[in-house]
Amino acid sequence: MEKKQMIYEGKAKQLYTCDRDDVYVMRFKDDATAFNGIKKAQITNKGALNNQISTILFHQLHRHGIKTHYIETLNDREQLCYKVEIFPLEVIVRNIIAGSMAKRLDIEEGTPSSKPIYELCYKNDELGDPLINEDHAMALGFITEVELRTIKETTLAINQLLISLFDRIGITLVDFKIEFGKLPDGTVILADEISPDSCRLWDKITGKKLDKDRFRRDLGNVEDAYQEIFNRLHEVYHD
Ligand code: TMP
Ligand code: ASP
């Protein structure tokens, strides 16, 4: 599939049109940002690793009946995906308290939650992606109650699938962020990516952080951590 014109560039990915009107090519970059773009760097090989990691995870989700925008992986940095209208929402699930929730509510990072915590943030860089609830999302006018119900049910199902998938490779899924979009016929599907950029992944034995917090918090060895996640996934889930 030949790439044509770049139609969108985000912090970590680009989208291109191609020969088909209903799909686009998603290209993973090595760029990393944190704190709403204030901290910036290149992480060698990150784009290729996230492409491969997200490919494995989306294949596994498909196997378990989750509908996504993913069609196929084209090369080391590119995937073919269905064109969707992305909801301006960051959908977050937390199994263990960490990051912004630990800070906001003064809870010790690493405290397990008695049930998965479902959060929505309004994807808006100028506002700093504020935490909102379902009523706020509907009041903003970009989503219906039925679409929100689908997103919540799908997200909690994805959480259970990802927890067991990572458990098999000795990783605790602490939390993650996903995004959803709408096909022209109105079907709501998972979009974007799932990778160490968008999840907190801790080694079950050592507790070592194997995700983007290594970059956010200057812990070093960022590429090694992403490589470790890929290696472990690839060993068990090559298909
Ligand atoms: P948080 O604790 O900083 O709110 O992050 C929760 C989860 O969402 C964590 O797994 C990292 C992910 N995340 C993103 O994917 N993009 C973002 O811009 C932020 C802030 C977090
Ligand atoms: N992607 C986010 C940004 O730069 C931050 C993050 O992942 O922590 O704004």
Side-chain angles (χ1 to χ4, degrees):
M1 189 68 61
E2 271 300 295
K3 293 206 294 285
K4 286 187 179 165
Q5 195 192 341
M6 188 165 78
I7 49 160
Y8 171 83
E9 175 149 31
K11 294 178 192 126
K13 293 187 296 295
Q14 298 164 331
L15 291 181
Y16 294 86
T17 55
C18 60
D19 309 340
R20 270 172 62 181
D21 277 350
D22 60 331
V23 301
Y24 47 47
V25 173
M26 185 166 82
R27 182 174 177 81
F28 289 76
K29 304 192 288 182
D30 283 347
D31 299 352
T33 65
F35 315 116
N36 205 6
I38 290 169
K39 179 170 176 171
K40 288 192 187 126
Q42 291 258 316
I43 298 169
T44 313
N45 222 17
K46 177 174 84 79
L49 286 165
N50 279 355
N51 184 20
Q52 296 181 87
I53 291 168
S54 206
T55 293
I56 293 175
L57 296 175
F58 274 63
H59 276 155
Q60 291 302 315
L61 293 178
H62 283 181
R63 280 195 50 216
H64 290 91
I66 304 288
K67 290 193 204 111
T68 86
H69 74 155
Y70 173 86
I71 302 170
E72 64 173 317
T73 299
L74 299 171
N75 55 51
D76 69 332
R77 281 177 187 269
E78 292 172 351
Q79 297 180 2
L80 195 65
C81 299
Y82 288 109
K83 240 180 222 172
V84 290
E85 192 190 324
I86 293 278
F87 295 105
L89 279 180
E90 302 208 330
V91 181
I92 294 169
V93 177
R94 302 177 189 274
N95 297 305
I96 292 178
I97 315 300
S100 68
M101 181 174 168
K103 208 165 166 187
R104 198 162 52 85
L105 300 179
D106 192 23
I107 300 173
E108 192 184 346
E109 184 159 271
T111 307
S113 174
S114 55
K115 69 190 274 282
I117 297 166
Y118 176 76
E119 278 180 9
L120 298 175
C121 291
Y122 178 34
K123 226 170 114 75
N124 181 317
D125 283 342
E126 273 149 46
L127 299 178
D129 299 338
L131 185 65
I132 57 169
N133 68 22
E134 296 194 340
D135 288 341
H136 295 136
M138 283 186 275
L140 284 161
F142 57 74
I143 196 157
T144 66
E145 193 162 7
V146 173
E147 288 164 345
L148 279 167
R149 196 176 317 137
T150 303
I151 288 179
K152 185 167 184 182
E153 279 171 17
T154 311
T155 299
L156 294 176
I158 291 171
N159 183 44
Q160 291 311 315
L161 291 169
L162 293 179
I163 287 175
S164 37
L165 196 146
F166 280 114
D167 187 66
R168 262 187 82 188
I169 59 162
I171 299 285
T172 301
L173 177 65
V174 174
D175 56 29
F176 62 93
K177 182 271 299 181
I178 49 180
E179 296 184 22
F180 287 85
K182 195 157 57 161
L183 289 169
D185 72 358
T187 311
V188 173
I189 59 173
L190 180 68
D192 196 48
E193 67 175 294
I194 304 179
S195 73
D197 270 10
S198 58
C199 302
R200 285 197 172 90
L201 303 167
W202 294 354
D203 182 90
K204 276 197 178 294
I205 293 168
T206 63
K208 186 175 174 186
K209 298 183 194 325
L210 296 169
D211 57 61
K212 194 175 165 190
D213 271 350
R214 301 205 71 80
F215 168 69
R216 296 189 188 98
R217 302 179 187 189
D218 294 321
L219 301 175
N221 301 105
V222 188
E223 186 192 347
D224 292 349
Y226 284 54
Q227 185 72 54
E228 174 75 23
I229 294 295
F230 169 70
N231 292 348
R232 290 199 207 179
L233 283 170
H234 183 65
E235 209 178 310
V236 176
Y237 301 105
H238 49 274
D239 49 16

